[in-house]
Amino acid sequence: MERKTTLYIANLLQSCIDKKNHLSGKLLHAHIYRIGLSADTFLLNRVIELYFKCNNTGYAHNLFDKMPQKNIYSWNAVLTQYCKAGNLENAQKLFAEMPERNTVSWNNLISALVRGRLEREALYVCNKMIWEGFVPTHFTLASVLSACGTLLDVECGRRCHNLAVKIGLEKNVYVINALLCVYAKCGLVRDAFQLFEDMQEPNEVTFTTMMGAFAQTDRVVEALEMFSLMYRQGIQIDSVSLSCVLGVCTRGACGESGFYDGSLCSALGKLVHGLIIKLGFQSDLHLCNSLLDMHAKNGDMDSADEVFANLPEVSVVSWNIMIAGYGQKCNSEKAVEYLQKMRSCGFEPDEVTYINMLAACVKSGDMEIGRQMFDCMACPSISSWNAILSGYIQVGNHKEAIKLFREMQFRYVKPDRTTLAIILSSCAGMELLEAGKQVHAASQKAAFHNDLYVASGLIAMYSKCGKMDMAKFVFEKMPELDIVCWNSIIAGFSLNALDKEALTLFQQMRQNGMSPTQFSYATILSCCARLSSLFQGRLVHAQMAKEGFMDDVYVGSALIDMYCKCGEVDEARQFFDMMPDKNTVTWNEMIHGYAQTGRGCEAVNLYRSMIRSGEKPDGITFVAVLTACSHSGLVDTAVEIFDSIQRDHGLEPILDHYTCIIDALARGGQFREAEMLMDKMPYKDDPIVWEVLLSSCRLHSNVRLAKKAAEELIRLDPQNSSPYVLLANIYTSLGRWDDVRAVRGLMSDKEVVKGPGYSWIEHKREIDSIMVEDNLKLV
């Protein structure tokens, strides 16, 4: 009779547990005491389970503590509650106190440790479980494999795989899916695919995992084919698999993973959109947000707008995706519009909203709105600080960036390596040595002084401020160096006209086993060009050819510049003709090379070939071709090209263009036209134009205009020796000795001194410079 009563009450308790009927359960608990079953462990275990299910943990623990006889199920009930609540400290303490344990006990603790991100401890507990003679179940292995995937511990994953085979779980779908995740996260797609092919009945989790594995390892096409196979085999497609394939389409459409057919991925994304509607998932908010994200990252904001407008419900995530999408399109106005709509609909922006708005404004160059967004953040994250700082640098407002960095320090926000690199860029941009030194000190305080990223910024800052001794000090103090640091120091020496030292460092870099990059070669070729060192330039050319940089357009442009400046224009043209890709810089270098060597007709012909090829000329192109015309006496061609700058190409002529055309006119003896142009141009007070005119007056002995040009130059810069020397030379060539003495007297009165000139010569692979003293001896 007592046995029947116990079973009857147990069934009633189970009903209360299923329905979470707390009140009825308490009445049953009281009835158990009243009929003398207060020592019945079986019933009391059910009551404990009921209290935990109804969130009355106090009653449950109190009952557990007072139970006269506890069994394994009693202990497991409390352990399960601790594990579900994430109370790992009490769970581990209770586990240690248990008089006996079963597989459920071990599984509970292991899975709780994995959920609590204590993966290493979970692996330790699993090893202890096996050592104590318990055989892991599929639940055990699924939890342990999850820990292996998080830790990217493939060796542990393989041991679990072997264990699964040993205990007969190698075909269990839960274990196989967990193994797939480990191999996928560790980038072992071949192992994952082999496992997938051996599976007898893969499910939707299996296919979704394989899609993620392929996408993660830059194999977008295979990921899409896996979804297609899943669909053809009639595997149930759920919201998770649809969200995964949308992520794959997003990855491909963004041009990631080396998959650049964005239109194909966009089309596939729209097919998936249709499938979502067909399968009735259009009300799944998470899935709809994935769809929004796919359209937004593909830049198809019209489709994103349409999806957003038809969403049955929206979340803050939905608004954030739209704001980020318009930010990606550099449309800060539309992003602001969505932010305003978001607020008017009762949604409170979160940190991600402000970061997305800030990114939108930074990308659009709208720093006024960007600063407003930043100021709205109660406690900006370090990424937000970095975004606003980089935004100010992007628009060239280095002063505000430095000011904001100081505010960041006053707020006790610890900078990271990105912050320091950004602010060092501002210090370099403004050549603020003292501010740069303060950032250097801050980097040491934050323990980033040995960080390669920060070190490169420090080297660049000291180089820009002309302090190569400090730049070299930072470089030499680094415990290890990467190619960026080497490039920074070489570029620093090059920037400060220390080209021989840059060449020496380049050689040291190669001796240390560091492979040069495009930037390395472009920089060192510029050094060879400035030194007119054809021997060194050819050595670098040979190294480039050996290492496969010949098709790089930037390195190729630097190589053309080097050959031209070393006087080997034909060799430069030969290389130019072989280049598979050319940009405006490449054409400019070749045109300028012809200009430098007085081959004006070839420069003009090349310029016209550039126009025919569809390459758009820029301001430098016109400087090069006009210089060529000037040096070769092609005055009419120069005038024609000058007139086309604004008329045909929509560019406003700048000072350099006016200088070139005036030089061409004056060299051709067309002083009247040159004077008329000077009267109309907006650069009348620039000394360069007058110097050019004065030089041409010497060629044609135009004393009247020479005197006027010299007077203008002396007015603009009385201490510049050039106009005195040039005017005196004109008088000398005409035998006007009284005027020569007058110029010399004027120089003496104003204490103007002509500086020495320099020449350099290359011999025995070394480059020496020679100072040429010139005391302006005028008879």
Side-chain angles (χ1 to χ4, degrees):
M1 182 66 182
E2 184 178 330
R3 175 72 177 165
K4 287 183 179 180
T5 303
T6 300
L7 289 174
Y8 177 70
I9 294 172
N11 288 334
L12 290 175
L13 282 168
Q14 185 60 51
S15 178
C16 293
I17 291 167
D18 294 339
K19 296 176 182 178
K20 294 187 180 181
N21 194 330
H22 185 236
L23 181 59
S24 298
K26 286 178 73 176
L27 291 173
L28 282 171
H29 188 187
H31 181 68
I32 288 168
Y33 272 93
R34 192 163 52 249
I35 64 175
L37 296 176
S38 58
D40 191 310
T41 303
F42 175 70
L43 287 177
L44 293 181
N45 285 344
R46 308 301 286 165
V47 175
I48 288 172
E49 186 180 351
L50 167 76
Y51 285 141
F52 278 137
K53 195 72 178 284
C54 296
N55 294 320
N56 193 343
T57 56
Y59 272 40
H61 285 298
N62 187 48
L63 179 56
F64 175 77
D65 291 338
K66 292 181 179 179
M67 281 180 69
Q69 291 182 324
K70 303 181 182 74
N71 62 13
I72 186 67
Y73 300 102
S74 314
W75 288 92
N76 277 342
V78 180
L79 180 64
T80 300
Q81 188 273 332
Y82 280 140
C83 291
K84 282 183 179 177
N87 192 341
L88 295 178
E89 185 178 347
N90 284 339
Q92 289 174 295
K93 184 179 178 183
L94 184 74
F95 185 83
E97 292 172 356
M98 291 177 72
E100 62 173 320
R101 308 181 186 104
N102 61 10
T103 306
V104 174
S105 317
W106 290 98
N107 285 348
N108 268 331
L109 184 61
I110 291 168
S111 61
L113 290 168
V114 172
R115 288 195 303 273
R117 304 190 69 82
L118 296 173
E119 292 87 2
R120 286 291 175 200
E121 200 160 339
L123 296 180
Y124 170 77
V125 172
C126 180
N127 288 333
K128 191 175 179 183
M129 172 187 178
I130 296 169
W131 185 77
E132 291 191 12
F134 289 91
V135 178
T137 67
H138 64 281
F139 292 113
T140 319
L141 289 177
S143 295
V144 171
L145 286 166
S146 175
C148 294
T150 303
L151 295 168
L152 301 180
D153 190 341
V154 70
E155 291 306 316
C156 183
R158 291 193 191 280
R159 288 197 296 272
C160 287
H161 192 170
N162 294 333
L163 179 61
V165 173
K166 184 177 179 181
I167 62 179
L169 290 174
E170 73 276 13
K171 295 188 183 303
N172 183 278
V173 69
Y174 298 103
V175 175
I176 297 301
N177 286 340
L179 269 169
L180 281 176
C181 283
V182 174
Y183 290 141
K185 287 180 179 178
C186 295
L188 301 175
V189 183
R190 182 177 296 178
D191 296 67
F193 191 67
Q194 183 64 52
L195 202 61
F196 171 80
E197 285 195 316
D198 292 341
M199 285 187 73
Q200 294 176 351
E201 295 182 1
N203 61 10
E204 64 275 12
V205 177
T206 316
F207 278 95
T208 303
T209 303
M210 283 307 302
M211 276 192 283
F214 281 127
Q216 182 183 314
T217 52
D218 301 341
R219 294 163 68 173
V220 172
V221 175
E222 288 94 329
L224 294 171
E225 286 174 350
M226 186 60 62
F227 181 75
S228 177
L229 178 63
M230 178 184 182
Y231 185 76
R232 290 197 307 272
Q233 289 190 1
I235 304 295
Q236 180 186 354
I237 295 176
D238 59 10
S239 60
V240 178
S241 55
L242 287 167
S243 181
C244 181
V245 76
L246 282 171
V248 174
C249 292
T250 302
R251 193 179 182 91
C254 289
E256 297 178 25
S257 319
F259 189 81
Y260 294 103
D261 194 349
S263 59
L264 176 58
C265 271
S266 179
L268 288 169
K270 288 176 180 177
L271 286 175
V272 176
H273 188 178
L275 191 58
I276 289 169
I277 296 169
K278 180 181 176 181
L279 297 175
F281 286 112
Q282 62 267 37
S283 60
D284 187 304
L285 182 58
H286 174 75
L287 186 55
C288 287
N289 284 340
S290 297
L291 186 62
L292 265 184
D293 191 51
M294 187 273 296
H295 285 310
K297 285 182 177 170
N298 186 34
D300 186 1
M301 292 311 297
D302 291 336
S303 295
D305 274 326
E306 187 178 343
V307 172
F308 185 85
N310 292 313
L311 285 176
E313 63 172 319
V314 295
S315 64
V316 173
V317 174
S318 315
W319 292 101
N320 288 348
I321 290 169
M322 294 304 292
I323 290 169
Y326 278 112
Q328 195 68 25
K329 296 279 283 184
C330 300
N331 191 341
S332 59
E333 290 181 6
K334 197 73 176 176
V336 170
E337 183 184 320
Y338 263 89
L339 177 64
Q340 291 167 346
K341 284 181 182 178
M342 178 184 182
R343 283 173 168 156
S344 66
C345 291
F347 289 88
E348 190 63 32
D350 62 8
E351 180 79 2
V352 177
T353 315
Y354 287 120
I355 289 172
N356 287 349
M357 268 305 310
L358 180 58
C361 295
V362 167
K363 195 152 190 175
S364 305
D366 187 355
M367 289 311 298
E368 185 178 348
I369 300 294
R371 184 58 182 269
Q372 289 175 19
M373 292 300 107
F374 180 79
D375 291 339
C376 286
M377 299 181 189
C379 187
S381 64
I382 190 66
S383 60
S384 302
W385 282 98
N386 291 344
I388 190 72
L389 288 170
S390 63
Y392 279 124
I393 289 175
Q394 183 180 301
V395 297
N397 193 345
H398 298 292
K399 185 177 180 181
E400 191 63 30
I402 292 169
K403 181 181 175 184
L404 198 61
F405 176 71
R406 284 178 177 149
E407 184 183 333
M408 181 181 177
Q409 290 178 299
F410 292 143
R411 291 201 202 176
Y412 301 104
V413 179
K414 189 177 179 181
D416 64 4
R417 62 200 294 262
T418 306
T419 320
L420 294 167
I422 289 170
I423 207 64
L424 283 167
S425 176
S426 275
C427 294
M430 294 184 70
E431 299 183 22
L432 295 175
L433 180 60
E434 290 306 314
K437 286 180 177 178
Q438 290 172 18
V439 177
H440 192 173
S443 73
Q444 291 181 310
K445 186 177 179 182
F448 283 113
H449 55 288
N450 284 336
D451 183 270
L452 291 167
Y453 195 46
V454 176
S456 296
L458 284 168
I459 292 167
M461 182 275 296
Y462 283 124
S463 299
K464 197 72 185 291
C465 295
K467 294 292 182 180
M468 285 312 300
D469 52 340
M470 284 300 299
K472 197 170 182 182
F473 174 80
V474 172
F475 178 80
E476 290 174 345
K477 284 292 181 182
M478 289 298 293
E480 60 177 303
L481 296 164
D482 65 355
I483 189 61
V484 180
C485 286
W486 279 102
N487 284 346
S488 295
I489 193 70
I490 291 169
F493 279 114
S494 175
L495 180 69
N496 287 276
L498 299 169
D499 300 303
K500 287 175 64 178
E501 291 83 347
L503 279 165
T504 302
L505 272 172
F506 180 76
Q507 290 162 359
Q508 286 178 11
M509 180 181 82
R510 290 187 58 79
Q511 287 165 5
N512 288 354
M514 195 69 66
S515 298
T517 63
Q518 294 95 324
F519 184 81
S520 316
Y521 281 122
T523 304
I524 211 66
L525 282 168
S526 297
C527 294
C528 295
R530 280 193 297 272
L531 291 169
S532 297
S533 177
L534 184 60
F535 175 80
Q536 294 288 349
R538 282 185 169 144
L539 281 180
V540 175
H541 187 174
Q543 291 168 7
M544 285 165 44
K546 184 179 178 182
E547 295 180 18
F549 285 97
M550 298 304 289
D551 290 341
D552 186 271
V553 67
Y554 299 103
V555 176
S557 300
L559 189 62
I560 289 168
D561 178 54
M562 184 276 297
Y563 277 127
C564 288
K565 285 181 178 169
C566 292
E568 296 293 334
V569 183
D570 291 330
E571 200 165 343
R573 180 59 187 266
Q574 186 180 358
F575 180 74
F576 174 87
D577 290 337
M578 290 190 301
M579 287 181 70
D581 297 306
K582 303 177 183 72
N583 62 10
T584 305
V585 176
T586 318
W587 288 92
N588 290 350
E589 294 293 1
M590 196 63 243
I591 294 169
H592 191 247
Y594 282 131
Q596 284 177 311
T597 52
R599 294 162 69 170
C601 291
E602 287 160 288
V604 171
N605 289 336
L606 190 61
Y607 162 75
R608 287 173 176 158
S609 296
M610 177 184 181
I611 302 298
R612 287 194 299 272
S613 74
E615 191 73 49
K616 191 174 181 181
D618 61 8
I620 297 171
T621 314
F622 291 110
V623 171
V625 72
L626 288 171
T627 300
C629 293
S630 174
H631 291 178
S632 300
L634 304 173
V635 182
D636 293 340
T637 306
V639 172
E640 176 196 334
I641 292 172
F642 180 81
D643 291 340
S644 74
I645 294 175
Q646 190 171 40
R647 184 190 65 222
D648 299 337
H649 303 286
L651 298 174
E652 194 68 35
I654 59 173
L655 172 62
D656 289 341
H657 302 144
Y658 281 104
T659 303
C660 290
I661 190 63
I662 288 168
D663 186 43
L665 291 168
R667 280 172 181 260
Q670 298 184 23
F671 291 107
R672 182 170 172 276
E673 289 80 357
E675 282 191 90
M676 287 173 60
L677 186 59
M678 288 184 72
D679 289 338
K680 292 190 295 183
M681 73 174 191
Y683 304 102
K684 295 184 185 68
D685 284 339
D686 195 283
I688 295 175
V689 184
W690 292 106
E691 283 185 10
V692 165
L693 187 63
L694 181 55
S695 296
S696 296
C697 289
R698 180 190 174 189
L699 291 174
H700 294 275
S701 300
N702 189 330
V703 178
R704 178 192 66 81
L705 194 54
K707 189 176 180 182
K708 178 182 177 183
E711 287 171 353
E712 287 293 330
L713 284 167
I714 292 168
R715 177 182 66 82
L716 292 168
D717 185 4
Q719 295 304 307
N720 183 6
S721 62
S722 296
Y724 300 97
V725 173
L726 287 169
L727 186 59
N729 286 340
I730 292 172
Y731 287 142
T732 301
S733 65
L734 296 172
R736 296 173 59 167
W737 308 115
D738 290 340
D739 291 325
V740 172
R741 282 188 285 272
V743 171
R744 291 188 65 188
L746 186 61
M747 284 184 73
S748 178
D749 293 342
K750 293 182 178 290
E751 298 180 348
V752 178
V753 179
K754 181 182 182 296
Y758 290 87
S759 295
W760 58 87
I761 183 170
E762 182 180 7
H763 66 98
K764 295 182 182 179
R765 303 188 182 186
E766 296 292 331
I767 298 168
D768 291 335
S769 60
I770 302 169
M771 184 173 74
V772 182
E773 292 287 354
D774 186 347
N775 295 321
L776 188 64
K777 294 182 179 178
L778 302 172
V779 179

